Amino acid sequence: MQKKYKIVVLGPAASGKGTQVEFLIEKLNLPNISVGQLLRDKKEAEEYMRKGELVPNAFVNELVKQRLNQPDTQNGFIFDGFPRIRIQAKYLDTLTDVTNAIHIKVSDQEVKNRLSGRRTCPKCGNVYHLKFNPPKNNELCDDCKIKLEIRDDDTETGIIKRLEIYHEETEEVVEYYKEKGILIEINGEQSIEDVRKEIFRKLKI
Ligand code: AMP
């Protein structure tokens, strides 16, 4: 029987969490629970997200609980963007046993560089970067051929706010998993492929 993986992926905005989670779900055949994505459809979350602030705990935790109640998570899962604060990490422990926490480390300057050119497709969610990963046709999605958009929270103030929260809150979550002995630290300032290799190697998959 395959070992059960209940993984959380931590890291600042634009650290490549989403990209690496895609590799992991394919390799391990597990569902991806992207809390940002779950929240993006919710009216109650809109205002917080636009400002780069955290959506209130009670709301996020309830959404997470409902998601973990679905049968596809029984053999494991990969969380992207949760937990972001210590209380959420503790709450998650009441619902399930996390087996690995992957922390993708990227400097503030690199986050700013990456976010300032980020564009996403409003239809399929594909993510591009005008300099590092440009679309073939100026600002059109390669697949959907429709105009790419800037995420509402990828503004100067949104970026600064998210970095602030990351340093004040999410680094505590990193410590939390370190104390539990399940933390894996990854250098996020390598090529996408090298980050993937480092993660797979350290997870022994
Ligand atoms: P992401 O797509 O992971 O960058 O998340 C985008 C936004 O969703 C964040 O800036 C928050 O406003 C909200 N969000 C995502 N995950 C959480 C969480 N665990 N707790 C509170 N808010 C969250």
Side-chain angles (χ1 to χ4, degrees):
M1 207 178 80
Q2 187 188 310
K3 183 176 169 227
K4 264 194 193 174
Y5 287 98
K6 298 182 171 185
I7 301 174
V8 299
V9 182
L10 314 167
S15 53
K17 295 192 297 284
T19 305
Q20 297 300 330
V21 165
E22 286 300 316
F23 293 137
L24 284 169
I25 58 175
E26 194 177 317
K27 174 83 180 176
L28 298 171
N29 195 21
L30 292 174
N32 163 22
I33 311 180
S34 163
V35 172
Q37 208 59 47
L38 288 177
L39 287 169
R40 216 154 277 136
D41 309 326
K42 301 279 184 289
K43 195 97 204 106
E44 295 89 331
E46 215 171 76
E47 193 58 21
Y48 298 99
M49 291 180 80
R50 195 178 53 75
K51 288 194 259 176
E53 291 173 5
L54 291 180
V55 176
N57 261 327
F59 190 77
V60 176
N61 286 351
E62 182 56 31
L63 215 62
V64 164
K65 183 172 154 196
Q66 282 172 17
R67 185 65 189 83
L68 283 180
N69 276 334
Q70 290 175 24
D72 66 328
T73 65
Q74 292 316 300
N75 292 321
F77 51 76
I78 301 169
F79 265 110
D80 169 5
F82 186 90
R84 265 180 156 90
I85 56 179
R86 209 178 174 99
I87 311 171
Q88 290 178 350
K90 288 198 157 172
Y91 179 71
L92 187 59
D93 281 347
T94 69
L95 302 176
T96 188
D97 295 312
V98 173
T99 59
N100 308 86
I102 299 172
H103 178 214
I104 306 181
K105 292 194 286 184
V106 172
S107 69
D108 286 9
Q109 189 53 52
E110 180 69 11
V111 167
K112 287 178 190 161
N113 295 344
R114 291 184 187 182
L115 283 176
S116 58
R118 181 155 84 171
R119 296 289 184 276
T120 53
C121 173
K123 192 166 167 216
C124 71
N126 270 352
V127 182
Y128 300 87
H129 190 284
L130 295 184
K131 207 160 105 200
F132 309 127
N133 174 28
K136 291 197 187 87
N137 232 318
N138 69 29
E139 305 229 10
L140 297 183
C141 176
D142 291 352
D143 297 326
C144 312
K145 315 288 180 219
I146 58 173
K147 188 152 174 46
L148 300 174
E149 292 180 353
I150 300 179
R151 242 173 73 166
D152 282 353
D153 53 354
D154 281 352
T155 57
E156 178 89 25
T157 46
I159 294 169
I160 291 171
K161 184 79 206 160
R162 280 184 290 160
L163 275 171
E164 209 176 276
I165 294 173
Y166 173 73
H167 289 303
E168 282 172 12
E169 315 272 5
T170 311
E171 282 179 350
E172 272 189 30
V173 176
V174 172
E175 270 311 301
Y176 182 80
Y177 289 117
K178 191 173 185 179
E179 284 161 19
K180 281 182 172 287
I182 57 170
L183 183 71
I184 294 174
E185 299 266 22
I186 302 290
N187 170 13
E189 296 196 23
Q190 314 176 74
S191 70
I192 291 176
E193 181 55 14
D194 285 346
V195 174
R196 183 193 70 73
K197 281 188 189 151
E198 190 178 340
I199 294 176
F200 280 27
R201 180 167 51 78
K202 291 187 171 168
L203 270 178
K204 303 190 178 71
I205 58 175

